[in-house]
């Protein structure tokens, strides 16, 4: 982990080997382009599941990104892919979310909080709701990620991968380009105030999207000469004052404003934007198939533009 302001090199070492996992997906074909290009996957909660469809379309066209960076949900999808999970496998994990008890309750208007971030958060919150934390010791989110990824480190991945987080102690953005992948993803996905900050040495880390929801600069630091960004964000809507009645609603609104600014201020730095922008609520994880299919469809329509950008 390094801070953005650090002058130490941030580039992760690329090794041509796969981490050992329960499932062993087939090797992916490398892009035939001579350019070292990067795919930057932004956060966006449930809308970030569209990134799975983006990866499906790229793999179908032999366009595996040499460099991937991401934050929050984008970090989780990109990290799993970089660790050897195929898009279909990541989709299967996401589908488990849509079939969870929490998702069914949400559809039936059960009064549960509407501020859940991803599959891991749903499962963690479900355990809280059912008062089963007595049976779960330690960080449930971290355990889920470690179960999926083992102890593989970022510098061991065959795809050069990095993600970011924000250190509440220093107030700075930090980049992860080495060390255990599951811990890096845990930090990048720590959405306040729902998920507790991650502890890493002396740092207290939360969602990287708070300062930089589109880590294009990290992709370029890792060697990407061209950067492609699937845009899954939605413009910040106006919110009636009547909705701002509690401290929780105020904090939530502040976070929405910060995330919107940290997204829109970074987009101009991309070489190509794939505008997906699905009409799905940030925390609605019941529409996995729609989101994946939509991301795939839009990306397939952009393949010519992608090839032109990276060639």
């Amino acid at each position: 982990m390094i801070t953005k302001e650090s002058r130490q090199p941030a580039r992760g070492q690329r090794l041509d080997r796969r981490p050992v996992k329960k499932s062993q997906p087939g090797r992916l074909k490398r892009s035939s382009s001579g350019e070292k290009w990067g795919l930057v996957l932004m956060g966006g909660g449930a809308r970030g599941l569209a990134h799975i469809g983006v990866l499906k379309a790229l793999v179908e066209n032999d366009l595996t990104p040499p460099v991937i960076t991401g934050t929050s949900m984008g970090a989780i999808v990109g990290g799993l892919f970089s660790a050897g999970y195929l898009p279909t496998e990541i989709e299967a994990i996401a589908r488990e979310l849509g079939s969870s008890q929490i998702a069914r309750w949400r559809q039936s208007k059960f009064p549960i909080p509407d501020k859940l971030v991803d599959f891991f958060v749903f499962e963690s919150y479900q355990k809280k709701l059912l008062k089963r934390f007595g049976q779960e010791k330690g960080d449930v989110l971290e355990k889920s990620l470690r179960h999926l990824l083992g102890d593989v480190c970022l510098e061991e991945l065959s795809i050069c991968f990095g993600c970011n987080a924000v250190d509440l102690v220093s107030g700075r953005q930090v980049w992860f380009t080495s060390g255990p992948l599951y811990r890096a993803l845990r930090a990048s996905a720590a959405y306040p105030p729902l998920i507790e900050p991650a502890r890493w040495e002396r740092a207290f880390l939360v969602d990287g999207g708070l300062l930089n929801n589109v880590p294009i600069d990290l992709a370029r630091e890792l060697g990407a000469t061209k950067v492609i960004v699937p845009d899954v964000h939605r413009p910040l809507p106006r919110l009636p004052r009547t909705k701002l009645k509690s401290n929780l609603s105020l904090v939530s609104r502040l976070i929405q404003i910060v995330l919107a600014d940290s997204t829109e201020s970074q987009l101009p730095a991309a070489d190509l934007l794939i505008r997906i922008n699905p009409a799905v609520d940030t925390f609605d994880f019941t529409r996995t198939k729609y989101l994946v299919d939509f991301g795939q469809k839009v990306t397939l329509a952009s393949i010519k533009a992608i090839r032109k950008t990276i060639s």
Side-chain angles (χ1 to χ4, degrees):
M1 180 188 75
I2 60 173
T3 63
K4 179 182 176 182
E5 292 77 9
S6 171
R7 297 192 179 188
Q8 300 176 32
R11 183 168 302 178
Q13 181 183 2
R14 290 186 64 197
L15 302 179
D16 190 19
R17 58 193 177 96
R18 316 290 275 191
V20 177
K21 303 193 292 88
K22 288 185 176 180
S23 61
Q24 294 291 338
R27 289 183 176 273
L28 299 173
K29 293 183 179 179
R30 296 287 170 231
S31 169
S32 58
S33 169
E35 294 281 354
K36 187 178 180 181
W37 59 282
L39 183 71
V40 177
L41 305 179
M42 66 175 65
R47 290 194 301 276
L49 297 178
H51 294 320
I52 302 172
V54 173
L55 291 170
K56 270 190 172 184
L58 293 176
V59 170
E60 288 174 10
N61 286 273
D62 296 337
L63 291 172
T64 301
V67 177
I68 297 178
T69 62
T71 192
S72 197
M73 177 58 84
I76 290 177
V77 173
L80 289 172
F81 181 76
S82 298
Y85 280 88
L86 296 174
T88 51
E89 294 178 308
I90 303 173
E91 182 179 5
I93 294 171
R95 282 180 180 274
E96 293 182 28
L97 165 64
S99 62
S100 71
Q101 183 64 50
I102 286 285
R104 291 193 292 271
W105 281 341
R106 188 175 188 276
Q107 286 183 317
S108 62
K109 307 300 182 182
F110 191 88
I112 62 173
D114 193 33
K115 305 298 178 186
L116 305 175
V117 182
D118 55 30
F119 157 71
F120 308 106
V121 181
F122 264 98
E123 297 306 312
S124 175
Y125 189 82
Q126 182 172 340
K127 291 180 175 66
K128 288 184 180 179
L129 185 66
L130 300 178
K131 298 180 180 180
R132 291 188 295 170
F133 256 119
Q135 302 172 11
E136 292 286 343
K137 297 186 181 299
D139 189 321
V140 176
L141 173 56
E142 185 169 300
K143 281 187 174 183
S144 298
L145 289 165
R146 192 171 190 178
H147 174 75
L148 290 169
L149 296 165
D151 294 316
V152 65
C153 291
L154 280 85
E155 60 267 33
E156 297 172 337
L157 303 176
S158 58
I159 292 175
C160 190
F161 176 77
C163 62
N164 65 340
V166 174
D167 179 16
L168 296 180
V169 175
S170 67
R172 296 177 177 179
Q173 177 187 186
V174 296
W175 287 346
F176 290 93
T177 57
S178 62
L181 176 59
Y182 76 91
R183 296 193 67 189
L185 300 185
R186 165 65 177 90
S188 187
Y191 186 91
L194 299 174
I195 310 175
E196 292 185 2
R199 292 167 174 80
W200 187 298
E201 298 175 350
R202 297 181 180 180
F204 211 43
L205 302 165
V206 295
D207 194 320
L210 294 177
L211 285 182
N212 184 1
N213 199 37
V214 196
I216 294 172
D217 49 357
L218 175 54
R220 297 199 189 280
E221 186 69 24
L222 291 172
T225 57
K226 298 290 184 179
V227 173
I228 296 172
V229 176
D231 182 4
V232 299
H233 97 289
R234 295 167 67 188
L236 185 69
R238 290 180 60 86
L239 189 67
R241 289 175 56 183
T242 54
K243 297 286 187 179
L244 301 171
K245 294 181 178 180
S246 66
N247 288 336
L248 181 59
S249 64
L250 290 173
V251 171
S252 176
R253 182 60 171 176
L254 284 171
I255 293 173
Q256 289 176 359
I257 293 171
V258 170
L259 286 171
D261 179 72
S262 73
T263 299
E264 294 170 5
S265 63
Q266 300 297 325
L267 292 178
D271 294 290
L272 177 66
L273 290 179
I274 303 174
R275 299 192 182 277
I276 301 174
N277 312 118
V280 172
D281 182 81
T282 303
F283 306 103
D284 182 1
F285 289 87
T286 64
R287 305 182 65 188
T288 300
K289 185 178 188 305
Y290 165 76
L291 286 162
V292 174
D293 289 349
F294 190 55
Q296 183 179 16
K297 178 181 178 180
V298 175
T299 305
L300 286 173
S302 304
I303 289 297
K304 287 185 178 180
I306 293 171
R307 292 191 187 279
K308 181 178 180 180
T309 298
I310 67 177
S311 65

